[in-house]
Amino acid sequence: MERISHDSYAKSALEDFPLDFPRLFIPSMEQLKGEILRCEVLREEANKADFSEPKLIMDLVLRYHFAAGETLLTLYEAQQDRTAFDIGRLCRYLVSLSERYPHAEILPVVLFTDQKEMRKPPARKLTIRSLNQTWLEFEYLSVRLRDFQSEDFLTRDNPLANVFAPLMSHSMDAKASVYDRALENLEKHVRPNLAKKYLGGFLSYIKR
């Protein structure tokens, strides 16, 4: 079986379970905005500086709608290789999105799915200063799955917790058990064809 990239797996999970991600990793969203009623996927392309530039497709933009009538755009980027992460590109995506939706609140989120440690973590802040002034200061919300323990998420009543649990921290000895339990729990929460979809992802990873 061909191995599925973490980026493709994560983006698919975010689209399949858009309400579950903030409930797992961004609890402040509903604490501050109220209950999420629904979510829609926006297909977005960043504006070009000139026509010779290749297309810059944003990973995933979701618009959350809350009970109080407010909305929040969330710019998600899934990154399997932290060494390839470009904070400047993400900042450009955010600026382009704000130009299209000038009155919207926008939250930039990077989901790191890498499995290896790095001596130098990716940049968390982009700052441009001159003449004793700050002209640009950009940060994003970072979520790295390996910073969480699989065991803590396998007991959650949240389908996305089981989708992501295999990419979280666990011992090699527990690997098969984590995948088996994650799939068993997922089958309790989602329709059979959706569980089958992630079974393919599980089989791809467990054989690596």
Side-chain angles (χ1 to χ4, degrees), residues 21-41:
F21 188 90
R23 287 168 180 162
L24 274 180
F25 301 108
I26 322 174
S28 61
M29 185 182 290
E30 288 193 305
Q31 290 170 5
L32 295 172
K33 295 288 187 182
E35 181 185 4
I36 301 172
L37 294 182
R38 62 186 177 90
C39 177
E40 58 186 304
V41 178

Side-chain angles (χ1 to χ4, degrees), residues 2-204:
E2 182 181 354
R3 185 176 176 185
I4 302 168
S5 76
H6 288 185
D7 290 354
S8 175
Y9 183 86
K11 292 173 193 175
S12 181
L14 285 167
E15 290 194 48
D16 287 335
F17 308 102
L19 304 186
D20 295 302
F21 188 90
R23 287 168 180 162
L24 274 180
F25 301 108
I26 322 174
S28 61
M29 185 182 290
E30 288 193 305
Q31 290 170 5
L32 295 172
K33 295 288 187 182
E35 181 185 4
I36 301 172
L37 294 182
R38 62 186 177 90
C39 177
E40 58 186 304
V41 178
L42 304 181
R43 302 293 181 183
E44 295 293 337
E45 178 183 339
N47 292 334
K48 296 182 178 183
D50 61 64
F51 291 109
S52 65
E53 284 191 329
K55 288 184 178 180
L56 293 174
I57 305 296
M58 301 179 197
D59 269 19
L60 185 64
V61 180
L62 301 181
R63 179 189 280 133
Y64 291 99
H65 296 260
F66 299 90
E70 294 185 72
T71 62
L72 175 69
L73 295 184
T74 304
L75 169 59
Y76 288 106
E77 177 170 333
Q79 188 60 252
Q80 177 176 346
D81 181 1
R82 286 195 293 171
T83 63
F85 173 63
D86 185 344
I87 190 173
R89 181 184 61 198
L90 180 63
C91 181
R92 181 174 175 183
Y93 287 168
L94 182 68
V95 171
S96 179
L97 196 59
S98 69
E99 290 173 344
R100 297 189 185 198
Y101 304 94
H103 303 296
E105 283 190 62
I106 307 174
L107 173 65
V109 180
V110 180
L111 174 63
F112 291 104
T113 61
D114 58 295
Q115 300 293 291
K116 297 181 180 179
E117 296 300 328
M118 288 178 59
R119 291 183 179 180
K120 184 179 180 181
R124 291 293 306 275
K125 179 184 291 189
L126 176 63
T127 304
I128 297 176
R129 286 181 54 84
S130 66
L131 304 177
N132 295 323
Q133 286 189 268
T134 299
W135 306 107
L136 173 67
E137 191 167 77
F138 168 70
E139 296 182 70
Y140 60 92
L141 176 62
S142 173
V143 177
R144 183 172 183 247
L145 294 181
R146 288 287 289 181
D147 290 341
F148 299 92
Q149 295 295 319
S150 300
E151 188 63 33
D152 295 337
F153 281 72
L154 288 170
T155 58
R156 302 284 186 93
D157 187 23
N158 183 313
L160 190 62
N162 296 290
V163 169
F164 281 156
L167 298 181
M168 295 176 180
S169 293
H170 55 268
S171 69
M172 290 302 294
D173 292 340
K175 185 176 182 179
S177 173
V178 167
Y179 280 78
D180 286 344
R181 291 170 60 197
L183 181 60
E184 181 181 356
N185 293 338
L186 187 62
E187 289 175 332
K188 297 176 182 178
H189 292 95
V190 303
R191 58 187 187 276
N193 62 327
L194 191 55
K196 183 178 179 181
K197 171 182 176 179
Y198 288 97
L199 170 61
F202 287 3
L203 292 175
S204 168

